[in-house]
Amino acid sequence: MSEKAQIGVTGLAVMGRNLARNFARHGHTVAVHNRSYNRTKELVEEFGHEGKFLPSESAADFVASLERPRRVIIMVKAGGPTDAVIEEFAPLLEEGDMLIDAGNAHYLDTRRREAALKERGLHFVGTGVSGGEEGALHGPSIMPGGSVESYQALGPLLEDISAKVDGEACCVHVGPDGAGHFVKMVHNGIEYADMQLIAEAYDLLRQVGGHSPSEIADVFRGWNEGRLGSYLIEITAEVLKQTDAATGKPFVDIVVDQAEQKGTGRWTVQAALDLGVPVSGIAESVFARALSGGADVRAAAAQAGLPGPSATAGAHQGDLQADVEQALFASKIVAYAQGFQQIQAASAEYGWSIDPGAMAKIWRAGCIIRAKFLDFIKQAYDKSPKLTTLLVDQYFLDAVSGAQDAWRRVVVTAAQHGIPAPGFASALAYYDGLRAERLPAALIQGQRDFFGAHTYQRVDKDGKFHTLWAADGRPEVDA
């Protein structure tokens, strides 16, 4: 074969097919391969006019159609299927070639694969891709990890097909080994929290405010023109405006209220626990989905008639719509602050040297959590690259402190009306935990010392201490 492709894609389901088309549309010759050759033929027959594709039926022919260093994008299911593809292609590659996993892989799997392939002289590039099938085709946000050397050969192609903001590519080298997939995982965790908060805002406006879905859609459209402007707010308005053609009812009323999940939110929470980072807002959003999906438990509760508030709650004390907007914005800030803190903690743990401001920059377009206020996050880290939390940056400090009275009213109203609002409540509790001069953790340390002799530290002396609880209560220094 005389002509060579600059990049190849194996795995031509919707995401893989659209990425291949995106490369072709940008003038790159693209090698395409799929386990079922029919899917490869269908891609070329249907979209061959968009650019130059080199289809191959076998893995060997596919690899042979690529220029060196070979760049092979893997777009198959995470886990075993990805490992199977790696084992199929790695023996066909030569030193310096690269395998790029652009699926939603667990970052620890990516670290394992990267280390194993490095021993074989191959580059493994775990790459987060956000934006769904439309983003894959028209310009996603791309978060590649892997070596600096691999990015030098791969980066220009990824930057070319990524989303752009003011001419800047929404793609940057995140860091070594699993850094790219870790950041994509946290992106998805923030996405979970953002969606849960939006859902709670809708619930309050409907149940307390008495607004119809169509009316709430108009509220969200208004919010999208302001500081809450984002992709998720935009599509929420569209979903709420939709009417079911079969019944004439609001679309949102004919959908079963059980939210599904693919696992990246759960991974985010698990990783945060390992790192010791409190991502309570993200965790509550994951648990809220789990609760919604617990049909048997919810049915048992309904059958038992679990009582709600004993007294009829009065009207919300304030402008409900304005207060919910404040609570939504403040809680959103907390979710992002927690996510960025987790990225910084992992970067320190694994030596990744991730630039958090660069992450905010590449999330401004193409991805699901793209939002206007990501510009302010980027500015915050530009000013203070080692910022401990977004909440102490002046813009976010002013926004959250200015929102807190409304935020508290919303949480109180939700509780009084018996409306679950775990996202709003946990975000407020996190905020109050950060600003507290003294937390009740001192009592917990006393309890731990009492039952397990785990020791404690004192505010007036250095060292660790243990109290002889069963004796006369005298403290003694733990040697």
Side-chain angles (χ1 to χ4, degrees):
M1 183 181 293
S2 58
E3 187 173 13
K4 298 287 187 180
Q6 287 82 55
I7 196 158
V9 179
T10 181
L12 301 176
V14 175
M15 285 292 289
R17 179 188 66 192
N18 282 3
L19 275 178
R21 292 173 60 196
N22 193 347
F23 281 114
R25 287 177 170 191
H26 281 82
H28 304 290
T29 301
V30 187
V32 287
H33 169 268
N34 194 74
R35 189 171 51 130
S36 167
Y37 187 57
N38 283 337
R39 184 167 282 178
T40 307
K41 290 194 298 183
E42 289 170 0
L43 167 62
V44 177
E45 289 170 0
E46 189 172 355
F47 302 108
H49 64 280
E50 294 183 342
K52 186 65 176 178
F53 298 99
L54 301 183
S56 295
E57 189 165 2
S58 71
D61 287 345
F62 172 72
V63 169
S65 71
L66 291 163
E67 67 180 28
R68 297 287 315 279
R70 301 183 181 95
R71 309 168 186 89
V72 177
I73 293 180
I74 301 170
M75 288 301 296
V76 300
K77 289 183 179 179
T82 298
D83 283 322
V85 171
I86 291 171
E87 287 308 307
E88 179 183 10
F89 280 90
L92 303 173
L93 300 175
E94 300 175 77
E95 186 173 351
D97 290 347
M98 62 195 75
L99 286 166
I100 304 113
D101 179 7
N104 272 334
H106 196 288
Y107 75 99
L108 293 179
D109 285 340
T110 301
R111 299 195 79 208
R112 167 178 60 80
R113 292 162 179 155
E114 194 270 346
L117 288 172
K118 184 183 291 185
E119 294 182 357
R120 301 165 74 164
L122 302 176
H123 296 285
F124 186 74
V125 184
T127 302
V129 178
S130 180
E133 58 185 81
E134 286 300 305
L137 181 60
H138 299 294
S141 174
I142 308 178
M143 296 151 261
S147 66
V148 172
E149 182 184 353
S150 66
Y151 192 77
Q152 289 172 345
L154 174 66
L157 279 79
L158 297 182
E159 291 173 14
D160 196 22
I161 69 160
S162 72
K164 307 292 188 300
V165 175
D166 299 328
E168 293 184 299
C170 291
C171 173
V172 70
H173 182 228
V174 176
D177 57 76
H181 274 146
F182 187 92
V183 165
K184 174 57 164 58
M185 176 191 75
V186 175
H187 164 284
N188 285 21
I190 294 171
E191 177 186 313
Y192 272 56
D194 214 343
M195 293 171 72
Q196 174 64 25
L197 294 168
I198 291 170
E200 291 177 18
Y202 151 76
D203 207 21
L204 284 161
L205 291 175
R206 190 163 189 190
Q207 295 206 54
V208 179
H211 299 293
S212 68
S214 180
E215 290 170 339
I216 300 171
D218 291 335
V219 172
F220 275 88
R221 281 178 176 163
W223 288 351
N224 197 48
E225 297 301 315
R227 61 182 184 172
L228 278 170
S230 65
Y231 174 71
L232 284 172
I233 292 289
E234 177 187 343
I235 67 169
T236 297
E238 292 302 314
V239 172
L240 290 174
K241 202 75 173 178
Q242 185 72 24
T243 299
D244 176 55
T247 64
K249 295 179 179 179
F251 169 81
V252 73
D253 287 347
I254 58 93
V255 177
V256 175
D257 62 339
Q258 296 177 22
E260 298 179 0
Q261 51 186 312
K262 290 189 175 180
T264 47
R266 183 168 63 248
W267 290 351
T268 305
V269 177
Q270 290 168 340
L273 290 171
D274 292 337
L275 292 165
V277 178
V279 293
S280 51
I282 296 171
E284 286 293 353
S285 68
V286 174
F287 294 142
R289 290 197 190 191
L291 188 151
S292 77
D296 292 345
V297 178
R298 292 175 63 194
Q303 186 175 4
L306 293 184
S310 57
T312 303
H316 176 76
Q317 298 301 305
D319 182 333
L320 179 65
Q321 183 176 316
D323 282 357
V324 169
E325 190 273 347
Q326 291 270 29
L328 179 55
F329 191 63
S331 299
K332 181 185 179 81
I333 290 171
V334 167
Y336 279 73
Q338 292 177 351
F340 274 88
Q341 185 185 354
Q342 183 174 0
I343 289 172
Q344 289 171 290
S347 181
E349 175 72 17
Y350 297 114
W352 286 336
S353 300
I354 296 174
D355 178 357
M359 300 307 99
K361 176 181 173 181
I362 66 172
W363 287 349
R364 293 179 300 167
C367 69
I368 304 302
I369 64 171
R370 58 186 183 264
K372 290 179 181 178
F373 90 147
L374 281 161
D375 282 318
F376 293 103
I377 294 179
K378 180 183 179 299
Q379 291 168 20
Y381 285 111
D382 284 347
K383 287 184 294 183
S384 304
K386 296 183 179 180
L387 192 66
T388 54
T389 173
L390 282 173
L391 292 171
V392 300
D393 174 77
Q394 196 61 52
Y395 172 81
F396 296 106
L397 176 62
D398 291 344
V400 174
S401 61
Q404 70 163 309
D405 289 344
W407 196 4
R408 295 181 194 283
R409 285 194 296 269
V410 166
V411 171
V412 168
T413 292
Q416 287 178 333
H417 285 77
I419 298 171
F424 287 153
S426 67
L428 181 58
Y430 176 84
Y431 170 78
D432 283 338
L434 286 186
R435 68 175 193 82
E437 288 187 22
R438 189 164 170 81
L439 292 167
L443 176 59
I444 294 172
Q445 282 300 88
Q447 294 168 334
R448 294 179 72 247
D449 189 61
F450 189 104
F451 66 68
H454 293 298
T455 75
Y456 55 88
Q457 293 175 287
R458 295 176 60 94
V459 297
D460 56 353
K461 299 176 184 178
D462 291 334
K464 291 191 174 182
F465 298 83
H466 167 58
T467 292
L468 301 174
W469 298 98
D472 57 6
R474 288 182 294 107
E476 64 177 7
V477 177
D478 178 57

